[in-house]
Amino acid sequence: IGVVALLLVTLGGVFLTKITIGNNVKLALAVLIMSFIFGLYAISWQPIFLLIKSLFDNLARRGNRWQSVISRVILMLSAWRTYLSNHLALFCSLILGMIFQLLCIWINATLALDLGITLAFVDWCWIIGIVSVAGLLPVSIGGVGVREVSYVGVLGSLGVPAEQAIALSLAIFSLSLLGAATGGIIELINGLKK
């Protein structure tokens, strides 16, 4: 649901921005995002679910080394399908996910303003969407490097110097590390109490 919320906020930013983005780019992005969301929700339809499950079952039966991963994917798909049947929980999760994404965007925009980067909030909606999706690509650990290149590329296309873009990226990464360290310390303390 978090990724869906991110994509919806990104889509809103793309269509509300005053920065010129070609209509073909907007349409392609809208189709891509809506196709991804439709694909996630199509799993709730029995024939689609059974087709996907049979594909993964066939892979698992071949006895390859990915068998435990495949069984976990099947389990995740089953859980996702069950989750999709609870429309109220799904709607509430989506709204909370969008609020969370908007808070993250506000943090980015506030830090950027402190670094002298001035852009409209709706622009940050699509910028953070692009940077976040790029950071999800499995090409580095924790998105390090990918995030920096994404910030430099996107913000650079808007006239922001690379130094400021990298500074913003590292500030955001530092906040993420601070949150992870805080959670790790709490988990460690709770583990020692048991």
Side-chain angles (χ1 to χ4, degrees), residues 9-10 12-14 16-18 119-127:
V9 169
T10 301
V14 165
L16 295 174
T17 186
K18 300 223 187 305
L119 294 170
F121 186 80
V122 293
D123 295 328
W124 284 110
C125 290
W126 65 265
I127 292 167

Side-chain angles (χ1 to χ4, degrees), residues 14-187:
V14 165
F15 281 99
L16 295 174
T17 186
K18 300 223 187 305
I19 294 174
T20 303
I21 298 176
N23 285 335
N24 291 339
V25 173
K26 286 182 181 182
L27 180 63
L29 190 59
V31 167
L32 184 67
I33 289 172
M34 296 314 287
S35 297
F36 177 76
I37 292 170
F38 175 76
L40 286 176
Y41 290 98
I43 295 170
S44 66
W45 191 40
Q46 184 76 7
I48 299 289
F49 175 74
L50 291 176
L51 174 67
I52 293 170
K53 186 175 181 312
S54 70
L55 289 172
F56 279 111
D57 283 339
N58 286 337
L59 285 173
R61 269 189 244 118
R62 292 185 182 173
N64 63 32
R65 61 183 179 175
W66 296 97
Q67 193 167 5
S68 71
V69 172
I70 291 170
S71 64
R72 289 176 191 225
V73 168
I74 292 171
L75 184 63
M76 182 201 66
L77 290 173
S78 298
W80 176 247
R81 188 165 182 260
T82 302
Y83 185 66
L84 288 174
S85 66
N86 188 342
H87 299 293
L88 180 61
L90 194 63
F91 178 75
C92 289
S93 295
L94 183 62
I95 295 300
L96 288 173
M98 291 175 76
I99 290 169
F100 174 78
Q101 294 301 332
L102 291 169
L103 284 171
C104 290
I105 291 165
W106 176 77
I107 290 168
N108 272 268
T110 302
L111 284 173
L113 195 59
D114 290 342
L115 291 169
I117 304 170
T118 307
L119 294 170
F121 186 80
V122 293
D123 295 328
W124 284 110
C125 290
W126 65 265
I127 292 167
I128 300 308
I130 290 171
V131 169
S132 297
V133 169
L136 291 174
L137 297 174
V139 294
S140 72
I141 297 174
V144 175
V146 175
R147 178 182 39 258
E148 287 72 28
V149 168
S150 299
Y151 270 108
V152 169
V154 174
L155 293 176
S157 71
L158 300 174
V160 175
E163 298 81 13
Q164 286 177 301
I166 290 173
L168 176 61
S169 177
L170 293 175
I172 295 300
F173 185 56
S174 298
L175 279 178
S176 297
L177 287 178
L178 180 64
T182 302
I185 291 169
I186 291 170
E187 188 65 28

